């Protein structure tokens, strides 16, 4: 069930600092190993992932108007980045491509290409969320068992060494580390305990997130193992592995800069275009999914988001970072931890910068088993059984694309899985359109006048973008009636959008009346 809507002024960043600070700590702990793991998988310098996370938090967080989305290095780009670095034979040349990719994304935003984000079917987005939740659970089980053969942030089915997602779990049970198992069980216990109602009554526990206590408990337990039970101690292969600088010049040396003499290389432009397109699609998918999880049902301006991602990638490339996108894992962790505004995103970036600069030795004592426990809970919340039940109740035209998307992502990767899910969803859309033609009609309106919106006999997903644009442009403090009494069929995506608009209307002071439009259960309920 969606949270109670606050007064509009209560959604300001400063007024929600007490919610966003604890949330930023959780996002920081989730992002830290992923930044390092994705950089390692990409064949880039280890610190380049941290740079990307810092820029994604601070720069993109400041410019973007997405209230809850968190940006950073993305698993979906690892194969592209690895191939690009190998092709260019120079990390300096690759950084030029990252800068150009950012520039192309800014152009996409100026050309208003963000409208594409409104045309991802709801069933596919929810399938993506559930698939990522399942992948998180499956990929973190080995780390929770102390089998850290594969790097953090690997979301593809096929893994290094001939392993895959399922065989890796088998090998993990065959080679488990009992010290990691103990730390994982304790960590999960703390996280579950933290969500009990009686814990919320204790002032300290209301402010500090359970994930922070999990990390401290993990560090203390591992140090206890080192002194008292050496065979349970987790060595450096099983803890965070952040580069450590002995002084400020050494830390500055972690940053590298592009060599713009490579602008004459045509391969740089091809790689830049590829990164720009893939990163833009992944970001639009992520913010669309994040908006569905947002308890306040706010809509991200997608064109501004593309420009924000472009600015972030340009700056990341200029100082040695790998490409970044909006990332649903961090975004969902932000939402689950109670984040309310983009202040949590910005603060997590500041934490990455400060901690990487001043306390890397302490961070390098955090067991990966602790962080696996945090991610296991994030994954579980994204893929609850109740979500599958609700999608089944909605009918086969929603359930089949949902399940196909999940299956395809699990056995391929994010973008291929989305493409396959889209194909199935479009089949059902075209089938419905073949049965009954559709149209959408709205009256011209002016501020202060009563607005009546008559929906057509058949309203499909293809109408979603234009209806959303019209709803977003309704004047504040107006009286609006949406009449669907003449509609034989209204697509679930459109019904969900109208249901979400109820909350947006309250923020804008719109007196909204719905006629002949059934209520639906939105994703916030799971």
């Amino acid at each position: 069930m969606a949270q109670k809507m606050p007064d509009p002024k209560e959604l300001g960043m400063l007024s929600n600092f007490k919610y966003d600070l604890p949330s930023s700590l959780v996002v920081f702990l989730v992002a830290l190993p992923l930044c390092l793991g994705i950089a390692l998988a990409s064949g880039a310098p280890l610190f380049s992932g941290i740079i990307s996370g810092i820029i994604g938090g601070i720069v993109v967080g400041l410019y973007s108007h997405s209230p809850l989305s968190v940006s950073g290095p993305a698993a979906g780009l690892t194969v592209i980045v690895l191939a690009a670095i190998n092709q260019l034979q120079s990390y300096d040349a690759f950084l030029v491509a990252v800068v150009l990719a950012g520039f192309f994304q800014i152009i996409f935003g100026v050309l208003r290409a963000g409208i594409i984000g409104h045309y991802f079917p709801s069933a596919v987005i929810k399938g993506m969320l559930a698939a990522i939740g399942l992948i998180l659970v499956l990929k973190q089980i080995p780390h929770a068992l102390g089998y850290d053969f594969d790097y953090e942030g690997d979301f593809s089915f096929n893994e290094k060494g001939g392993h895959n997602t399922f065989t890796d779990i088998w090998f993990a049970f065959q080679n488990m580390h009992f010290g990691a198992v103990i730390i994982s069980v304790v960590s999960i216990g703390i996280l579950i305990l933290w969500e009990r109602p009686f814990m919320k009554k204790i002032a300290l526990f209301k402010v500090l997130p359970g994930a922070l206590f999990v990390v401290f408990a993990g560090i203390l337990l591992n140090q206890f193992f080192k002194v008292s039970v050496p065979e349970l101690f987790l060595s450096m292969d099983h803890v965070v592995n952040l580069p450590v600088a002995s002084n400020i010049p050494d830390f500055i040396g972690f940053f590298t800069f592009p060599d713009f003499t490579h602008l004459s290389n045509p391969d740089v432009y091809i790689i830049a275009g590829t990164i720009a397109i893939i990163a833009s699609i992944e970001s639009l998918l992520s913010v669309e999914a994040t908006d569905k999880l947002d308890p306040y049902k706010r809509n991200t301006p997608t064109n501004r988001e593309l420009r924000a991602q472009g600015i972030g990638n340009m700056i990341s490339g200029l100082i040695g970072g790998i490409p970044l996108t909006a990332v649903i894992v961090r975004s969902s962790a932000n939402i689950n931890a109670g984040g309310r505004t983009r202040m949590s995103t910005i603060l997590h970036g500041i934490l990455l910068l400060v901690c990487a600069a001043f306390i890397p030795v302490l961070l390098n004592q955090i067991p990966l088993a602790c962080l696996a426990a945090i991610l296991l809970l994030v994954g579980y919340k994204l893929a609850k059984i109740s979500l599958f039940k609700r999608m089944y109740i909605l009918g086969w035209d929603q359930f089949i694309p949902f399940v196909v998307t999940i299956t395809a992502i699990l056995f391929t990767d994010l973008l291929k899985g989305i493409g396959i899910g889209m194909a199935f969803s479009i089949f059902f859309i075209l089938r419905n359109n073949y049965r009954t033609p559709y149209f959408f009609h709205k009256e011209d309106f002016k501020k202060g006048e009563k607005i009546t919106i008559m929906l057509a006999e058949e309203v499909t997903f293809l109408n979603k973008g234009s209806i959303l644009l019209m709803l977003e442009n309704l004047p504040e403090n107006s009286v609006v009636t949406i009449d669907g009494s003449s509609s034989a069929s209204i697509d679930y995506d459109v019904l969900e959008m109208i249901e979400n608009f109820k909350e947006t209307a309250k923020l804008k002071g719109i007196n909204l009346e719905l006629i002949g439009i059934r209520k639906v259960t939105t994703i916030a309920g799971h």
Side-chain angles (χ1 to χ4, degrees), residues 60 174 181 223 235 258 261 276 301 403-404 421 444 467 508:
V60 177
Q174 299 295 313
V181 173
Q223 292 306 308
S235 63
T261 60
V403 172
V404 167
D444 293 331
I467 295 175
K508 297 177 70 174

Side-chain angles (χ1 to χ4, degrees), residues 449-455 467 470-472 474-484 494-515 517:
E449 295 180 349
K450 183 175 180 179
I451 302 162
T452 301
I453 301 164
M454 298 292 298
L455 297 184
I467 295 175
M470 179 273 300
L471 292 176
E472 289 180 341
L474 288 173
E476 296 182 358
N477 304 313
S478 54
V479 179
V480 178
T481 299
I482 302 178
D483 190 347
V494 177
L495 288 172
E496 184 184 58
M497 184 175 62
I498 293 172
E499 186 69 23
N500 291 341
F501 180 70
K502 287 182 182 179
E503 307 298 343
T504 306
K506 293 176 185 177
L507 291 178
K508 297 177 70 174
I510 295 173
N511 185 357
L512 180 65
E513 180 185 13
L514 303 181
I515 300 174
I517 297 175

Side-chain angles (χ1 to χ4, degrees), residues 120-387:
F120 293 112
S122 180
V124 174
I125 296 298
K126 292 177 182 177
M128 180 189 77
L129 287 169
I132 289 175
L134 290 172
I135 289 172
L136 276 175
V137 172
L138 295 171
K139 293 287 188 179
Q140 291 304 317
I141 288 174
H143 293 296
L145 297 175
Y147 182 71
D148 300 306
F149 175 75
D150 198 38
Y151 50 84
E152 290 276 6
D154 181 6
F155 276 58
S156 60
F157 179 71
N158 294 311
E159 301 176 353
K160 64 180 182 179
H163 292 193
N164 62 46
T165 301
F166 297 111
T167 60
D168 208 40
I169 295 174
W170 171 256
F171 280 106
F173 276 103
Q174 299 295 313
N175 300 276
M176 70 173 69
H177 192 299
F178 285 102
V181 173
I182 293 170
I183 290 175
S184 297
V185 171
V186 170
S187 299
I188 292 173
I190 292 173
L191 292 171
I192 293 174
L193 180 67
W194 220 261
E195 297 192 359
R196 299 300 91 194
F198 73 89
M199 293 291 286
K200 304 296 183 183
K201 298 178 181 179
I202 303 172
L204 178 64
F205 298 155
K206 288 171 65 176
V207 176
L208 296 178
L212 187 62
F213 284 81
V214 162
V215 165
F216 283 128
I219 292 174
L220 292 174
L221 261 176
N222 200 35
Q223 292 306 308
F224 170 76
F225 293 155
K226 183 178 182 180
V227 174
S228 304
V229 197
E231 62 270 21
L232 296 181
F233 176 67
L234 297 176
S235 63
M236 63 180 298
D237 292 334
H238 304 289
V239 296
V240 171
N241 187 19
L242 190 68
V244 178
S246 56
N247 50 49
I248 296 298
D250 279 354
F251 180 73
I252 294 174
F254 291 150
F255 296 82
T256 53
F257 307 98
D259 180 358
F260 287 103
T261 60
H262 291 281
L263 282 172
S264 60
N265 184 350
D267 289 340
V268 168
Y269 295 89
I270 295 172
I271 291 169
T274 303
I275 292 172
I277 292 169
I278 301 301
S280 297
I281 292 173
E282 191 158 341
S283 292
L284 292 174
L285 282 166
S286 181
V287 295
E288 179 78 4
T290 302
D291 287 350
K292 288 187 180 300
L293 292 172
D294 181 5
Y296 302 122
K297 299 306 170 192
R298 291 161 288 185
N299 292 317
T300 296
T302 51
N303 295 312
R304 185 179 181 96
E305 183 66 25
L306 286 178
R307 297 196 297 272
Q309 296 294 329
I311 292 170
N313 273 316
M314 286 190 73
I315 296 176
S316 181
L318 285 170
I319 60 175
I322 54 178
L324 56 88
T325 74
V327 187
I328 191 59
V329 174
R330 283 159 234 182
S331 303
S332 60
N334 186 23
I335 294 167
N336 290 331
R340 289 195 175 184
T341 75
R342 52 199 172 99
M343 178 62 78
S344 59
T345 299
I346 297 167
L347 289 173
H348 116 274
I350 294 172
L351 282 170
L352 279 172
L353 174 60
V354 172
C355 293
F358 297 107
I359 57 168
V361 175
L362 177 61
L363 295 181
N364 285 348
Q365 295 182 43
I366 300 175
L368 294 178
C370 286
L371 304 177
I374 297 170
L375 287 166
L376 280 169
L377 266 292
V378 172
Y380 166 75
K381 290 178 179 179
L382 284 173
K384 284 184 177 179
I385 294 176
S386 58
L387 173 62

